[in-house]
């Protein structure tokens, strides 16, 4: 049961998580790193679900407020 905050809020307890997103790359090394490929992007309203910001040109780029940090690592898949 949730407590009643009639007297106000004294402090907050902080929770944190890490999100890993995989962006596609074809066999010719063409990558699509854009909001449109991210599962955190709402295609219905054009808003990032992490930042709650509208993404600029989501079909071509990642938004200027994107919190993702890219390590440069690439996970290769085996071609069948």
């Amino acid at each position: 049961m949730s407590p009643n905050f009639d007297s106000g809020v004294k402090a907050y307890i902080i929770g944190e998580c890490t999100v890993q997103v995989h962006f596609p790359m074809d066999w010719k090394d063409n990558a699509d790193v854009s909001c449109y490929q991210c599962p955190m992007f709402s295609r219905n309203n054009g808003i990032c679900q992490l930042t709650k910001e509208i993404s600029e040109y989501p079909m071509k780029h990642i938004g200027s407020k994107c919190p993702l940090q890219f390590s440069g690592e690439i996970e290769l898949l085996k071609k069948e």
Side-chain angles (χ1 to χ4, degrees):
M1 187 167 125
S2 182
N4 190 347
F5 293 106
D6 286 341
S7 62
V9 175
K10 174 184 172 181
Y12 292 98
I13 298 172
I14 300 171
E16 194 172 31
C17 75
T18 300
V19 176
Q20 190 176 65
V21 178
H22 294 86
F23 293 93
M25 177 183 286
D26 68 12
W27 291 100
K28 295 180 182 179
D29 292 338
N30 298 310
D32 186 355
V33 181
S34 65
C35 294
Y36 200 74
Q37 294 296 334
C38 182
M40 302 299 138
F41 176 70
S42 174
R43 293 180 180 184
N44 292 333
N45 57 18
I47 293 177
C48 174
Q49 296 303 311
L50 295 173
T51 64
K52 303 299 184 197
E53 298 281 339
I54 295 174
S55 297
E56 312 94 334
Y57 308 104
M59 298 284 285
K60 295 186 178 194
H61 307 285
I62 57 172
S64 61
K65 305 267 173 127
C66 180
L68 296 178
Q69 296 179 1
F70 295 90
S71 65
E73 292 181 30
I74 298 172
E75 180 182 325
L76 296 176
L77 302 175
K78 294 181 182 179
K79 190 173 183 179
E80 294 182 19

